[in-house]
Amino acid sequence: MGNVALITGATRGIGKQIALCLAKEGYDIALNYRTQNEELENTKKEIESFGVKVLPVQGDVSKFEDCERFVKEIIDEFGKIDVLVNNAGITKDTLIMRMSKEDFDQVIDVNLTGTFNVTKNVVTYMLKARQGRIINISSVVGIAGNAGQTNYAASKAGIIGFSKSLAKEVASRNILVNCIAPGFITTDMTNVLKDEVKEEIAKNIPLKRMGSPEDVANVVKFLASNDSSYITGQVIHVDGGMLM
Ligand SMILES: NC(=O)c1ccc[n+]([C@@H]2O[C@H](COP(=O)([O-])OP(=O)(O)OC[C@H]3O[C@@H](n4cnc5c(N)ncnc54)[C@H](OP(=O)(O)O)[C@@H]3O)[C@@H](O)[C@H]2O)c1
């Protein structure tokens, strides 16, 4: 039986690239999506072109019952989950004086509580299997902070604390938990920025460019592989040298 990876929010951006990268490595893919659209169909076809199985599972990660249901669907289909990538995430940026309680709560609910909701349901099976890899997508903003992103930064810093604690809880069962902290990556999330802003950002990055979804996916591939079997509780920066 091949390895199975669950990636949340995987129909576009970084999540899609992670799914394609792991499919290329031969993983069967459980593809979590929130919105049914053309992007889902296209991503599914692209993954299938690698000759692996794809199971699309609908669910809003901020809802515990959704996560409970779709994790069960995956276990019914594949019998196991070897790798979990908590990737789904949103931003609702504004200065604190203008930030509503709803905007704060929504970002925490999707990014941080969503990571808990999916992990809690998946780890049950990993504990029984006595193996697993959990890779959580945080952000440089969770380490350094960013004006206008108190909600997002809090959620991404929370993911790091969550991951380190979980890494200590489950290490004895051979389950490794790590975070990736991307810098500025070219996706829909950063396409909202004006070109001049993006150029200014790139100028201040030591490697002088924004990252690509592939830059992040390649590190996920490493953290999912046997080559990283002595690494747990870590935060790997994929940011072109922004934070050192
Ligand atoms: N891009 C960057 O510069 C950057 C930097 C650091 C960290 N990150 C993190 O990397 C991850 C991916 O970001 P991205 O840039 O690829 O973002 P993106 O292009 O906006 O894609 C986000 C994905 O998450 C899904 N999603 C959102 N809310 C969801 C929910 N409640 N339940 C399930 N899926 C949900 C979206 O699905 P829908 O299509 O239904 O909306 C979409 O597939 C996020 O956690 C983000 O915070 C990104």
Side-chain angles (χ1 to χ4, degrees):
M1 202 158 48
N3 285 332
V4 178
L6 162 60
I7 303 111
T8 64
T11 58
R12 58 194 172 97
I14 295 171
K16 173 179 178 174
Q17 203 53 50
I18 293 169
L20 290 173
C21 187
L22 294 181
K24 202 171 169 192
E25 293 299 295
Y27 286 81
D28 289 327
I29 303 292
L31 182 95
N32 160 254
Y33 66 97
R34 180 180 56 170
T35 320
Q36 174 107 37
N37 56 23
E38 215 175 287
E39 281 169 330
L40 167 65
E41 289 312 313
N42 293 340
T43 305
K44 185 170 176 280
K45 278 187 204 139
E46 282 182 58
I47 294 172
E48 279 167 347
S49 73
F50 292 106
V52 298
K53 290 186 198 140
V54 189
L55 178 70
V57 286
Q58 198 283 329
D60 178 339
V61 297
S62 69
K63 297 182 178 153
F64 189 83
E65 323 74 69
D66 279 20
C67 302
E68 204 170 22
R69 172 190 42 76
F70 72 68
V71 168
K72 194 170 175 306
E73 282 170 27
I74 299 164
I75 297 296
D76 286 348
E77 175 69 19
F78 293 128
K80 60 175 188 161
I81 297 170
D82 300 287
V83 176
L84 163 63
V85 186
N86 282 304
N87 166 78
I90 58 166
T91 52
K92 284 200 177 287
D93 300 349
T94 191
L95 298 173
I96 195 158
M97 290 309 289
R98 293 200 203 110
M99 189 178 291
S100 65
K101 171 125 178 18
E102 288 70 31
D103 285 352
F104 186 84
D105 287 347
Q106 221 181 329
V107 170
I108 298 290
D109 286 352
V110 174
N111 298 3
L112 179 57
T113 312
T115 298
F116 167 80
N117 289 343
V118 183
T119 305
K120 161 98 179 151
N121 283 292
V122 169
V123 85
T124 313
Y125 297 98
M126 288 183 170
L127 286 168
K128 276 188 209 142
R130 292 185 165 268
Q131 62 152 359
R133 299 290 170 97
I134 300 172
I135 302 157
N136 295 326
I137 308 298
S138 177
S139 166
V140 288
V141 167
I143 301 160
N146 195 22
Q149 291 197 305
T150 48
N151 50 2
Y152 184 75
S155 72
K156 293 297 180 178
I159 287 173
I160 294 174
F162 172 82
S163 304
K164 290 184 177 182
S165 303
L166 184 63
K168 289 183 178 178
E169 276 184 36
V170 297
S172 63
R173 300 291 184 92
N174 194 29
I175 301 169
L176 312 186
V177 188
N178 289 291
C179 285
I180 296 178
F184 283 94
I185 309 296
T186 307
T187 67
D188 293 345
M189 195 176 265
T190 47
N191 280 344
V192 294
L193 299 170
K194 291 196 182 106
D195 284 347
E196 308 89 81
V197 176
K198 284 194 252 181
E199 279 163 28
E200 200 50 41
I201 288 169
K203 255 193 234 163
N204 291 315
I205 297 171
L207 289 180
K208 301 289 175 214
R209 67 169 176 92
M210 304 238 317
S212 67
E214 288 86 345
D215 290 324
V216 179
N218 285 334
V219 179
V220 171
K221 178 171 78 177
F222 167 67
L223 289 174
S225 77
N226 285 334
D227 292 341
S228 63
S229 56
Y230 201 52
I231 300 177
T232 195
Q234 303 304 309
V235 183
I236 315 282
H237 296 203
V238 182
D239 64 2
M242 266 176 80
L243 294 191
M244 293 189 191

